[in-house]
Amino acid sequence: MNFQPLRRLLALALFSTITGVHAQSGEISLLNVSYDPTRELYQAFNPEFSRYWKEKTGQVVSVKQSHGGAGKQARAVIDGLEADVVTLALAYDIDAIAEKSGKLPADWQKRLPHNASPYTSTIVFLVRKGNPKAIRDWGDLVKPGVEVITPNPKTSGGARWNYLAAWGYALKQGGGEAAARDFVGRLLKNVPVLDTGARGATNTFVQRGIGDVLLAWENEAFLSINELGPDKFEIVVPSVSILAEPPVAVVDAVAKKHGTEQVARAYLEYLYSPVGQQLAARHYYRPIKPELADPRDVARFPKVNFIRIDDLGGWQAAQKKHFADGGTFDHLNRR
Amino acid sequence: MTATRTFRVLPGFNLTLGYTLGYLSLLILIPLSAVFLKTFEMDWARFVEVVTAPQVVATYKLSFGASLLAAAINAVFGLMLAWALVRYSFPGKKIVDALVDLPFALPTAVAGIALTALYAKNGWLGQYLEPLGIKVAFTPLGVLVALVFIGLPFVVRTVQPILEDLDTELEEAAASLGAQRWQTFRHVIFPILLPALMTGFALAFARAVGEYGSVIFIAGNLPFVSEITPLMIITKLEQYDYQGATAIASVMLIFSFILLLIINGLQAWTAKRTGRDR
């Protein structure tokens, strides 16, 4: 016999299955499948909701959280992760769940106010202390010698917002689509590293010291400054940016199966309550009803001229035009 | 045909064969056939279009090229390491021996982040390499470094036991017959080690081709420059293009399988030639 461990070790399978387990013993359990940067927000929000629900109905509810890249999380739900509610980075990901699994209706975004987004965010620039390259607006990002850090929009939801913000800025300068293509193309030429996710890009910029400016979620930029000290980085708010609406939805089929429809809906509605709005603002998300939040928290958000995703034709159209294979990103990113 | 049943001392052939086939099917064949089944949902023209897209082809070159190169580097240096560990005793040998397995145990993302921190332009090593014009992090060279790192234990651990079994008497006999040191190594020791070395090479290669976690942090992931094939698969999945993802996966699988078959064949051939076929 030959000594050939190869035959036994040829396992290259890429499959994993995830199963959600729900305890049904008197206490209700909710699974909230979310994306990366909301971890701290929901850690604070969940106990508040449990307390509210206990006072209102007497039922004990425990909320479990799952975090990861938005696309990965959406795929997990499609493949059977039993999420009662999803709170993801873009409507496109929840659209995909609706379309591929049919677990919620296609018009899910109409069921809650403000496009089902209880809080919003935007894209800002994080620059090194003193802003040595004098970066004030999008136009400064395409200058020769400026290195821009942004993740790959094909693998990162946050990066799609970055890309569309740049595109929207260029459109607003006039010159139409040709000018926008040219602008975004030049911007991409200044990107030395394309990380796969927002946290990876933050790492590259902050820990590796690569790049002059990081395109980041506003809440992530605030968190970076909090954690690393305001002596190292500054936030620059561009003249125009995109209004990022991370939406939330009840996954009907799962909630029905678990008998949690009512509490799941209440959970999301509570995000719109004063408590939910205050917590969102405290965790650097822009509350949809700023009058309910702490004015000191709200004061931290500078005024921005917003481009809306609907101005760019909505997510389905934007995805197809820019990020699908053969889209503008693929064309402009050829080196 | 005459029935030439070989006599076995221990019974259980049917049982073990059945078990082997069942186990392999469950663990390997069924998941892998799912990849191909999903691929078959697309028509041939679309399949060809997906797997031969220029950006994807560029990743094959990097993934397979860097993996072969990394396995070759590991074959050379892994052999030296195994040799040192078996033949010499030095203080801290046990610790060095344990260190070899570390790339096995370390989560790949940790390895990737550590290597990137080391080789980035502000890292311990990167700050000295960068002025010399050597960029490691965020280049194809970085991919190679990561693949060498994760593949090292395979060669050391396959060669080590063979070296341990090797009688020094063979070398003494060669020396007493007038062989020089190099001749002894070239004609006596190396042929004995070769099959194990090739197994180690094949394992290191297979691991490197499928590696994602550690590479993704150090590669920089620039299209046509430093994208690896597994990243293409993830990219397709992020677009909910399951068929495109499995199409590229099946091309990878077929490539890898053919390469491993060739290496296995070579290994059997050398084993036969050197008379170690038992």
Side-chain angles (χ1 to χ4, degrees):
Chain A
M1 274 220 295
N2 258 323
F3 174 66
Q4 287 185 333
L6 270 189
R7 290 185 184 157
R8 279 175 282 141
L9 284 164
L10 249 174
L12 283 165
L14 300 156
F15 279 67
S16 66
T17 44
I18 306 153
T19 42
V21 182
H22 276 257
Q24 294 285 7
S25 51
E27 115 171 11
I28 314 166
S29 175
L30 271 189
L31 178 62
N32 175 7
V33 169
S34 193
Y35 65 117
D36 262 328
T38 56
R39 190 173 279 114
E40 292 80 11
L41 167 62
Y42 282 107
Q43 258 162 19
F45 177 76
N46 291 341
E48 291 294 331
F49 173 73
S50 297
R51 190 175 323 145
Y52 157 79
W53 193 248
K54 181 129 201 272
E55 271 169 24
K56 195 178 165 196
T57 65
Q59 287 174 316
V60 179
V61 59
S62 79
V63 186
K64 296 189 177 68
Q65 299 167 243
S66 161
H67 296 273
K72 200 188 297 164
Q73 295 291 76
R75 279 202 310 284
V77 175
I78 292 169
D79 294 340
L81 177 65
E82 301 210 326
D84 302 276
V85 296
V86 285
T87 53
L88 295 175
L90 358 140
Y92 178 71
D93 289 318
I94 303 184
D95 277 343
I97 299 174
E99 185 199 335
K100 306 259 169 193
S101 74
K103 284 176 184 165
L104 67 168
D107 68 345
W108 61 271
Q109 210 169 3
K110 303 220 161 59
R111 298 190 297 187
L112 283 165
H114 299 279
N115 285 332
S117 306
Y119 41 78
T120 65
S121 192
T122 188
I123 300 301
V124 298
F125 304 162
L126 196 66
V127 298
R128 303 196 185 279
K129 186 73 193 172
N131 198 355
K133 297 260 168 130
I135 291 157
R136 304 266 169 252
D137 205 351
W138 291 99
D140 298 320
L141 302 187
V142 299
K143 286 182 180 159
V146 173
E147 284 191 337
V148 183
I149 304 297
T150 174
N152 189 337
K154 291 211 149 193
T155 51
S156 157
R160 279 174 224 165
W161 289 114
N162 295 351
Y163 184 98
L164 291 175
W167 185 272
Y169 165 83
L171 283 182
K172 282 212 167 183
Q173 307 310 300
E177 181 149 341
R181 288 180 78 101
D182 176 61
F183 178 81
V184 175
R186 281 192 290 151
L187 177 71
L188 288 173
K189 294 243 170 358
N190 278 352
V191 178
V193 178
L194 278 170
D195 282 290
T196 51
R199 283 272 156 105
T202 308
N203 239 340
T204 299
F205 182 74
V206 170
Q207 310 288 351
R208 300 290 90 75
I210 308 267
D212 302 304
V213 51
L214 171 75
L215 307 188
W217 289 103
E218 186 175 51
N219 59 313
E220 289 274 279
F222 273 116
L223 278 181
S224 301
I225 290 204
N226 265 6
E227 271 165 37
L228 305 154
D231 52 325
K232 290 205 179 96
F233 303 100
E234 290 175 15
I235 292 176
V236 171
V237 180
S239 65
V240 175
S241 195
I242 195 151
L243 179 69
E245 297 177 314
V248 301
V250 174
V251 184
D252 298 37
V254 177
K256 195 167 202 170
K257 182 176 154 198
H258 294 158
T260 51
E261 286 158 298
Q262 204 190 349
V263 59
R265 205 175 311 126
Y267 177 76
L268 295 184
E269 278 162 4
Y270 199 57
L271 285 167
Y272 291 85
S273 75
V275 174
Q277 294 290 299
Q278 275 161 23
L279 283 173
R282 193 170 308 152
H283 289 89
Y284 307 109
Y285 280 95
R286 292 177 180 236
I288 210 79
K289 296 174 190 157
E291 66 278 9
L292 297 180
D294 188 333
R296 276 171 303 171
D297 288 339
V298 176
R300 295 184 300 198
F301 303 116
K303 203 173 145 28
V304 182
N305 277 323
F306 283 125
I307 310 156
R308 291 168 168 275
I309 183 70
D310 292 336
D311 302 339
L312 302 169
W315 266 114
Q316 290 300 332
Q319 175 74 24
K320 206 165 160 202
K321 178 180 169 129
H322 297 292
F323 309 122
D325 285 337
T328 62
F329 174 74
D330 276 349
H331 280 287
L332 299 174
N333 199 34
R334 296 196 71 151
R335 285 157 199 257
Chain B
M1 268 206 348
T2 49
T4 51
R5 285 195 57 172
T6 39
F7 176 76
R8 290 186 184 82
V9 180
L10 294 174
F13 172 72
N14 291 333
L15 191 68
T16 48
L17 182 71
Y19 176 75
T20 305
L21 290 179
Y23 194 70
L24 275 183
S25 308
L26 206 65
L27 274 178
I28 298 176
L29 291 178
I30 293 174
L32 291 193
S33 52
V35 169
F36 287 101
L37 280 178
K38 194 85 197 168
T39 311
F40 288 146
E41 285 174 15
M42 64 205 301
D43 59 44
W44 180 249
R46 170 101 180 98
F47 175 81
V48 171
E49 189 192 324
V50 167
V51 301
T52 60
Q55 194 178 356
V56 177
V57 172
T59 69
Y60 298 147
K61 286 180 191 154
L62 178 65
S63 267
F64 286 95
S67 298
L68 282 171
L69 194 58
I73 292 170
N74 274 327
V76 175
F77 290 95
L79 177 62
M80 280 164 57
L81 231 162
W83 182 270
L85 284 172
V86 171
R87 284 304 169 89
Y88 309 114
S89 64
F90 48 88
K93 181 173 156 176
K94 285 246 162 67
I95 296 172
V96 173
D97 200 27
L99 277 178
V100 170
D101 285 330
L102 219 53
F104 267 150
L106 209 60
T108 53
V110 175
I113 291 170
L115 287 172
T116 314
L118 204 56
Y119 287 103
K121 68 178 179 193
N122 64 353
W124 285 354
L125 284 173
Q127 58 180 326
Y128 302 113
L129 292 174
E130 194 99 353
L132 304 174
I134 306 170
K135 281 190 182 174
V136 180
F138 313 121
T139 66
L141 187 58
V143 176
L144 183 68
V145 168
L147 296 182
V148 169
F149 177 84
I150 51 124
L152 176 74
F154 291 95
V155 174
V156 179
R157 291 301 179 228
T158 47
V159 172
Q160 212 174 6
I162 309 291
L163 263 179
E164 275 164 359
D165 285 350
L166 195 66
D167 282 330
T168 43
E169 285 152 28
L170 279 175
E171 289 156 56
E172 286 161 11
S176 72
L177 288 170
Q180 280 153 358
R181 284 172 175 179
W182 171 249
Q183 285 176 315
T184 309
F185 178 76
R186 168 78 186 76
H187 295 290
V188 178
I189 300 172
F190 190 67
I192 299 174
L193 293 182
L194 191 58
L197 195 61
M198 287 171 76
T199 303
F201 176 87
L203 288 173
F205 167 75
R207 170 74 200 270
V209 167
E211 179 62 19
Y212 179 75
S214 62
V215 176
I216 225 62
F217 290 96
I218 200 168
N221 308 320
L222 297 178
F224 297 96
V225 180
S226 56
E227 281 184 328
I228 54 168
T229 312
L231 176 66
M232 286 292 104
I233 297 174
I234 301 285
T235 305
K236 299 275 180 207
L237 283 178
E238 290 292 333
Q239 298 168 61
Y240 305 101
D241 180 4
Y242 288 74
Q243 293 162 8
T246 51
I248 298 175
S250 54
V251 168
M252 266 190 105
L253 276 174
I254 292 167
F255 264 165
S256 303
F257 190 66
I258 292 171
L259 279 167
L260 290 172
L261 266 184
I262 293 171
I263 296 168
N264 254 7
L266 273 176
Q267 189 202 15
W269 180 71
T270 48
K272 205 170 213 158
R273 209 175 54 111
T274 54
R276 282 181 64 86
D277 189 29
R278 273 173 283 154

